[in-house]
Amino acid sequence: MKLSVIGCGYLGAVHAAAMASIGHEVVGIDVDESKIASLSQGEAPFFEPGLPEILSDGIASGRLSFTTDMAQADGAEVHFIGVGTPQQKDGYAADMTYVNAAIDALIPHLQPGDIVAGKSTVPVGTAAGLAERLASTGATLVWNPEFLREGFAVKDTVDPDRLVAGVPLGDEGARAADILREVYHPAVAKGTPFIVTDYATAELVKVAANAFLATKISFINAMAEIAEVTGADVTQLADAIGHDARIGRRFLGAGIGFGGGCLPKDIRAFTARAEELGRGESVGFLREVDAINLRRRERAVQLVVDALHGDMFKKNITVLGAAFKPHSDDIRDSPALDVAVRLRGLGAWVTVTDPEALHNAARVHPQLNYVEDRDEALRGADAVIVVTEWDEYRGGLDPEHAAQLVAGRVIVDGRNCLDAAAWRAAGWTYYGMGRP
Ligand code: NAD
């Protein structure tokens, strides 16, 4: 099939390349000229495992191209919308400027029978409004939310856990769902659940999933706060409750909390939309989820301050991690960088290292010192804090080896990802999150 993908960021670039990898002819369209220039050369503009390979294969095959020219969408049967929906600068709601601009630019290039498939995460009710705007073109709108996880985006796009299609009623909707089945043919053939529903449900599935995940993380972080005043160990608590199949251990990792380009802004946008709908109280708990999450960053900073007996003057602190999570170079709302910036604000000399995210971090926070080599970053540190659980830090950092590099053996494990006993045995003072 011939497809267009409008918006070539973390979602769209992967989607375009993944669709080409399963045999479609795909044009990726974005307003960012530098992004399009690097994608056109087969170079991924961000770190995502597996993306460079499918990008260069797609371009070499002639099935994948990138452009800033919306006219190249002409002739595509399905047009995916994957532009950003960030938090508004002056509120909690989603900023819909980019979605509206993309739809305005696309409308002149649509033919009757085309499918416009929305993938951006939007406030419930958006699709119904967009469908009205598209009515005069004869194109059909489908809402096809995206659940990919950065770091696993290629696998999640080609082989998702489930597919959701919000479609209009009647034959038009049935035809649109069939076309989406054809787009995702390998996943559909292997029996991946394909849920056909209305627009509102499809939009809500995405925000409900993110709200649930955020709540699960903040739940265990709330337990960490209780553990801290009772001497309990939240990691053992999580193991114990996680054995209950109804609860499950995943997303019960207490630490400095969630961040990134999705969860924080999505739960805030959900709260804002629920208030507009007169149901603010239904998701009022998400404010608490947000507040718990942000408190954990403060707690991590406090642990470092306490470990250094309140004296940050001329102290060297090494921050292991900058990306909001491992296997990504995304620093949007990264708790890791937030902690680094706060420590710097307290007067410490902060050195940050990360396997992939330093170039992004340095652009946004030039006041921090960035060192690529992990061991070099550790040299002379008075305290070390782990804020992104890269393998290089969790199992890959030998406490005996690290002890030879630092000035003071103080480690704060902001992700509860280290073997506390091994670090203590190597002479370190170990502080975890919600652990004695
Ligand atoms: P991003 O900022 O990386 O990418 C957005 C892209 O859209 C940018 O490259 C931007 O230049 C482009 N763009 C903006 N206006 C445009 C226009 N008028 N025409 C063409 N391109 C335009 O954001 P992202 O992380 O890829 O997220 C995109 C959407 O997908 C958001 O709604 C997000 O919530 C959702 N989402 C993201 C993920 C994820 O893991 N990143 C997962 C699921 C859903």
Side-chain angles (χ1 to χ4, degrees):
M1 297 171 82
K2 194 170 173 218
L3 314 175
S4 78
V5 178
I6 297 152
C8 293
Y10 284 91
L11 182 157
V14 173
H15 195 72
M19 292 299 106
S21 80
I22 60 172
H24 299 300
E25 191 185 322
V26 187
V27 58
I29 304 173
D30 200 291
V31 290
D32 182 333
E33 286 178 10
S34 70
K35 209 173 262 186
I36 289 301
S38 72
L39 286 166
S40 298
Q41 312 253 321
E43 284 165 20
F46 49 86
F47 174 75
E48 183 59 47
L51 178 60
E53 293 81 355
I54 58 168
L55 260 183
S56 48
D57 287 357
I59 286 170
S61 73
R63 284 198 306 276
L64 179 62
S65 62
F66 292 94
T67 179
T68 54
D69 178 12
M70 191 61 94
Q72 302 296 317
D74 276 320
E77 294 161 74
V78 183
H79 309 270
F80 288 98
I81 307 290
V83 300
T85 49
Q87 183 178 328
Q88 284 180 0
K89 290 188 178 68
D90 57 355
Y92 283 144
D95 180 350
M96 296 301 291
T97 313
Y98 308 101
V99 171
N100 288 326
I103 294 284
D104 286 344
L106 177 63
I107 281 177
H109 303 285
L110 293 174
Q111 301 296 325
D114 281 4
I115 303 291
V116 176
K119 296 197 82 61
S120 301
T121 303
V122 294
V124 58
T126 301
L130 294 179
E132 272 178 33
R133 286 175 55 199
L134 292 176
S136 62
T137 66
T140 299
L141 182 76
V142 179
W143 212 260
N144 175 218
E146 179 57 59
F147 304 97
L148 70 82
R149 299 160 298 164
E150 286 176 23
F152 305 92
V154 174
K155 187 252 154 214
D156 287 349
T157 304
V158 176
D159 183 17
D161 294 338
R162 78 302 211 181
L163 288 153
V164 174
V167 301
L169 291 171
D171 291 348
E172 187 192 2
R175 173 181 170 273
D178 281 346
I179 291 175
L180 264 204
R181 282 193 187 91
E182 211 178 316
V183 170
Y184 295 113
H185 61 100
V188 171
K190 75 174 268 214
T192 303
F194 190 98
I195 295 148
V196 179
T197 180
D198 53 85
Y199 289 146
T201 307
E203 292 167 316
L204 273 176
V205 167
K206 174 64 192 172
V207 285
N210 276 358
F212 188 86
L213 294 172
T215 302
K216 201 169 174 191
I217 297 169
S218 278
F219 173 81
I220 201 65
N221 278 330
M223 296 305 106
E225 291 185 334
I226 302 296
E228 276 153 13
V229 291
T230 53
D233 184 332
V234 76
T235 60
Q236 290 187 333
L237 180 149
D239 288 343
I241 64 172
H243 283 302
D244 184 330
R246 295 170 301 176
I247 296 173
R249 182 63 172 82
R250 295 186 70 191
F251 274 68
L252 284 186
I256 59 169
F258 58 80
C262 289
L263 250 52
K265 63 117 173 138
D266 286 350
I267 61 167
R268 290 174 196 156
F270 196 7
T271 312
R273 184 66 184 133
E275 278 168 9
E276 282 169 12
L277 294 166
R279 286 288 180 278
E281 70 274 23
S282 304
V283 292
F285 66 93
L286 289 178
R287 291 179 180 219
E288 210 52 55
V289 165
D290 203 359
I292 293 165
N293 191 54
L294 295 176
R295 281 205 297 271
R296 300 317 287 165
R297 302 175 183 189
E298 269 166 43
R299 168 71 184 170
V301 170
Q302 195 58 47
L303 281 175
V304 176
V305 172
D306 291 350
L308 295 174
H309 312 291
D311 179 15
M312 305 295 273
F313 184 66
K314 290 189 177 177
K315 289 287 166 27
N316 284 302
I317 298 173
T318 297
V319 176
L320 297 178
F324 85 99
K325 67 171 187 177
H327 314 293
S328 176
D329 67 353
D330 196 346
I331 54 146
R332 290 178 288 181
D333 202 353
S334 168
L337 269 183
D338 193 10
V339 166
V341 168
R342 288 176 196 224
L343 288 167
R344 157 92 192 182
L346 293 174
W349 293 333
V350 177
T351 296
V352 180
T353 187
D354 186 285
E356 297 294 340
L358 287 194
H359 58 294
N360 281 338
R363 221 181 39 238
V364 180
H365 298 294
Q367 74 273 35
L368 303 174
N369 182 34
Y370 297 100
V371 174
E372 276 191 30
D373 183 78
R374 184 197 65 190
D375 286 2
E376 214 38 59
L378 285 168
R379 207 173 293 284
D382 295 299
V384 179
I385 178 164
V386 181
V387 280
T388 312
E389 64 276 40
W390 286 97
D391 291 342
E392 285 86 336
Y393 313 143
R394 66 188 319 168
L397 181 55
D398 174 21
E400 302 273 1
H401 170 71
Q404 304 310 310
L405 301 170
V406 297
R409 297 182 189 184
V410 169
I411 182 105
V412 175
D413 184 0
R415 294 292 184 180
N416 286 345
C417 63
L418 303 177
D419 178 347
W423 283 79
R424 287 191 175 117
W428 290 77
T429 308
Y430 170 95
Y431 299 85
M433 302 287 291
R435 308 181 76 179

